[in-house]
Amino acid sequence: AQKVTQAQTEISVVEKEDVTLDCVYETRDTTYYLFWYKQPPSGELVFLIRRNSFDEQNEISGRYSWNFQKSTSSFNFTITASQVVDSAVYFCALSAGITGTASKLTFGTGTRLQVTL
Amino acid sequence: DTGVSQDPRHKITKRGQNVTFRCDPISEHNRLYWYRQTLGQGPEFLTYFQNEAQLEKSRLLSDRFSAERPKGSFSTLEIQRTEQGDSAMYLCASSLGRGQETQYFGPGTRLLVL
């Protein structure tokens, strides 16, 4: 069985602060994918990033960066110089199984980020 | 490219009524997924289709729920004899259909059962 834990329920920061959202996952599969999605108040889940279990390279995309560490089963997400538009609920998700087969996403409970002026 | 679309965006119904939701995936996406999201929780998987074939169903999908994708394009999710516990956001996602690829989500249908 797969499990994703996002221990931070809600985080509040002031604009321009850096913020890190934590994600810890559990799976017995050796092949898996990790995702981050953003859910703004409108409700639509917006894809941010996907990493596979064989690629532990950290990634930076603009103000966003991701730190994938298999040793601690973590896939953390950092927003640098946060902006009010970053306010949303952020979900970490896991997809595991044999490569080539479709796999459902297992989501964490989400972290609500509130960025204020 | 047009994204995943869902209709209606909101639905209010009385307990015991039947409701049907529609999802139109991104064109050329072979896989289509349904998820349910309740307040304060992450989405939970309900079922998925590869073209017109329904290949997996969650235990969350009771007998009152049925999903179809008759021509391998759009999909419908029907809930019969709705209960207050069915109140949730129903999300549809689609993907290309080549292994563990990214799922792209629609705006969801928010259901309220009175």
Side-chain angles (χ1 to χ4, degrees):
Chain A
Q2 284 82 37
K3 184 178 179 182
V4 175
T5 302
Q6 294 180 258
Q8 303 152 309
T9 305
E10 189 161 348
I11 300 175
S12 291
V13 299
V14 176
E15 201 176 41
K16 296 183 185 176
E17 285 185 8
D18 298 346
V19 58
T20 296
L21 310 181
D22 297 333
C23 172
V24 174
Y25 62 92
E26 295 176 33
T27 180
R28 293 182 180 177
D29 291 287
T30 55
T31 301
Y32 53 89
Y33 285 77
L34 295 162
F35 301 80
W36 276 94
Y37 286 87
K38 174 182 179 180
Q39 189 173 44
S42 61
E44 183 167 348
L45 279 165
V46 178
F47 166 71
L48 295 177
I49 191 171
R50 181 184 81 172
R51 304 296 285 173
N52 72 54
S53 52
F54 300 110
D55 184 1
E56 283 191 76
Q57 268 194 333
N58 293 329
E59 183 159 338
I60 299 174
S61 176
R63 296 185 296 109
Y64 296 169
S65 62
W66 290 270
N67 185 330
F68 176 26
Q69 292 194 344
K70 287 177 75 171
S71 61
T72 55
S73 297
S74 66
F75 185 43
N76 297 336
F77 173 29
T78 297
I79 302 175
T80 303
S82 59
Q83 299 176 2
V84 172
V85 294
D86 296 326
S87 297
V89 180
Y90 290 85
F91 289 97
C92 181
L94 168 68
S95 169
I98 301 168
T99 302
T101 65
S103 186
K104 62 190 177 188
L105 291 172
T106 299
F107 284 86
T109 50
T111 297
R112 181 178 298 279
L113 174 64
Q114 183 73 39
V115 182
T116 57
L117 292 171
Chain B
D1 261 347
T2 308
V4 178
S5 61
Q6 293 187 245
D7 184 69
R9 295 290 306 276
H10 303 274
K11 180 71 177 179
I12 300 174
T13 191
K14 293 183 180 178
R15 191 175 50 188
Q17 298 294 305
N18 299 343
V19 294
T20 300
F21 309 142
R22 176 179 170 126
C23 171
D24 286 87
I26 295 171
S27 58
E28 299 180 354
H29 276 195
N30 294 323
R31 291 185 185 151
L32 186 148
Y33 305 77
W34 285 99
Y35 292 81
R36 181 172 69 186
Q37 184 180 19
T38 53
L39 206 59
Q41 300 298 313
E44 295 175 293
F45 170 79
L46 293 178
T47 187
Y48 97 90
F49 293 83
Q50 172 82 35
N51 299 312
E52 66 275 8
Q54 188 174 18
L55 297 185
E56 186 175 350
K57 294 198 302 186
S58 161
R59 284 172 290 181
L60 291 175
L61 215 62
S62 76
D63 291 344
R64 297 183 297 104
F65 287 69
S66 62
E68 294 183 343
R69 194 182 182 199
K71 296 182 180 179
S73 56
F74 72 91
S75 175
T76 57
L77 177 68
E78 180 183 17
I79 309 174
Q80 296 182 327
R81 305 180 303 282
T82 52
E83 302 173 354
Q84 287 184 324
D86 297 330
S87 295
M89 173 81 92
Y90 290 84
L91 294 162
C92 177
S94 70
S95 67
L96 275 171
R98 299 170 197 162
Q100 305 272 14
E101 73 282 303
T102 301
Q103 296 178 27
Y104 295 92
F105 285 80
T109 294
R110 191 175 296 278
L111 172 67
L112 178 60
V113 182
L114 301 175

